[in-house]
Amino acid sequence: MKINSLFQRDRAVFSFEVFPPKKDSPIESVYDKLEEICALKPDFISVTYGAGGTGGHSRTVDIASKIKHDFHVESVAHLTCVNSTKAMIDETLADFTANGIENILALRGDYVDGVEPQKDFRYASELCAYIREKGDFDISGACYPETHVDAADEVEDVLNLKKKVDAGAQHLISQLFFDNALFYRFLERAKIAGIRVPIEAGIMPVTNKRQIERMVSLCGASLPPKFAKMMQRYESKPEALRDAGIAYAVEQIVDLLANGVDGIHLYTMNNPYVAEKITRAVENLL
Ligand code: FAD
C-alpha cells in the first residue's frame, strides 16, 4: 500500500520510526522488539538508512520487508543519496521492488568525515526527481521546523523544501522538536511558500540523558526551559526520567492533535515499552 492513501482519511496519521541493528549485531537481534512495536498497529513504520549512506542498504531492506510481510504493518524505507552513484541507487530501487517496498523517504544524508561524496546527487530533491523517473514509488521527504543546519536562513530553507515537493515529495516528516510553537511557525512558513502536502510532526520521547545529549548535538533541536528543568531534576533517576520523557511527549502530541496536524511520527528508538505507553495515551485522539 502506498502511504499517500493514509493522508486522505479523516484522521491524523500515526507512524513510527525504527532503525536496523549495528553491523556487528545479528539482524535477528531486533526482531522481538520489532514484533512488539508492530503489534501496536501504527499506520506505517519507517526504517532508517545507515548514517552516511555508506554501509549499504541491505539491512534497511530486510527490516522494511520483515515489518511489511511478517508483521503486517506498511513500511517506508529511508534512502540517502549524497554518498551514492546513480548505479547504486538503481540497485537499491531494484531491491525495494523485489521486496515489495513501495514507499521511500528520500534524503540527502550527511557528509561523512574522510569520505569523498559521490557527484550524482547533491540534494534530496534530485533524488526525489530520480526516483519518480525510475519507478512507481510513493516518496516522502524530510523537513526541519528549526531550519536545516546548512541553510543560510529559514526562508532559504523553506524555498528549498518547496523545490523538494515540486520534485516529487508527496508528504514530509519533520525533524524532532521539543517546542510546538516552533513547529506551528514552520507550518506557516511552509504555507506561505506554497507547500500543500501533508506534514507529519516528528516526536522523540526522551527517556535517558545520553540520548538527549546525542540528539541535540546531532540535530540542534532547542530545549525549552520546561524540558531542560525536567532533564535536570530527574537525570540521576532513570525510571523517573523515562516516565517524565513519556509524559512530555504525550503532552506535545495532545497539543499537536488539538491543533489539527496531519500526523505524528514517533521516533521509537526501538523501544516497545515507550512506544506502547505513548500509543495507548493518544490512540483515541487521532
Ligand atoms: P535536503 O533536502 O537536500 O537539504 C539539505 C540542505 O540543502 C538544506 O540546508 C537545504 O536548505 C539545502 N538545499 C536543498 N535543496 C537545495 C537547492 N536546490 N539549492 C541549494 N540548497 C539546497 N540520515 C541518514 O543518514 N539516514 C536516515 O535514515 C535518516 N533519516 C532521517 C529522517 C528524518 C525524518 C529526518 C528529518 C532526517 C533524517 N536523516 C537521516 C538526516 C538527513 O539525512 C540529514 O538531516 C541531512 O543533512 C539532510 O537531508 P535532507 O534530505 O533533509 O536534505
Side-chain angles (χ1 to χ4, degrees), residues 17 48-53 78 80 105-110 122-125 142-144 148 150-151 156-157 160 163-164 173-175 267:
E17 182 169 307
T48 63
Y49 192 87
H78 295 205
T80 66
L105 174 55
L107 299 148
R108 184 194 76 176
D110 285 317
R122 285 167 309 160
Y123 303 112
S125 54
C143 62
Y144 301 83
H148 186 265
D150 297 347
E156 182 191 288
D157 201 34
N160 288 331
K163 288 182 199 160
K164 185 153 61 179
I173 302 179
S174 94
Q175 182 60 280
Y267 294 98

Side-chain angles (χ1 to χ4, degrees), residues 117-179:
Q118 299 288 347
K119 303 208 168 16
D120 287 353
F121 301 95
R122 285 167 309 160
Y123 303 112
S125 54
E126 294 172 352
L127 180 62
C128 290
Y130 191 72
I131 296 172
R132 194 161 69 165
E133 200 185 293
K134 283 281 163 172
D136 181 23
F137 293 101
D138 179 291
I139 308 170
S140 310
C143 62
Y144 301 83
E146 298 188 61
T147 300
H148 186 265
V149 283
D150 297 347
D153 56 47
E154 57 188 35
V155 174
E156 182 191 288
D157 201 34
V158 84
L159 292 176
N160 288 331
L161 185 60
K162 174 72 164 65
K163 288 182 199 160
K164 185 153 61 179
V165 170
D166 291 345
Q170 294 162 270
H171 19 77
L172 301 169
I173 302 179
S174 94
Q175 182 60 280
L176 62 96
F177 59 90
F178 300 104
D179 182 350

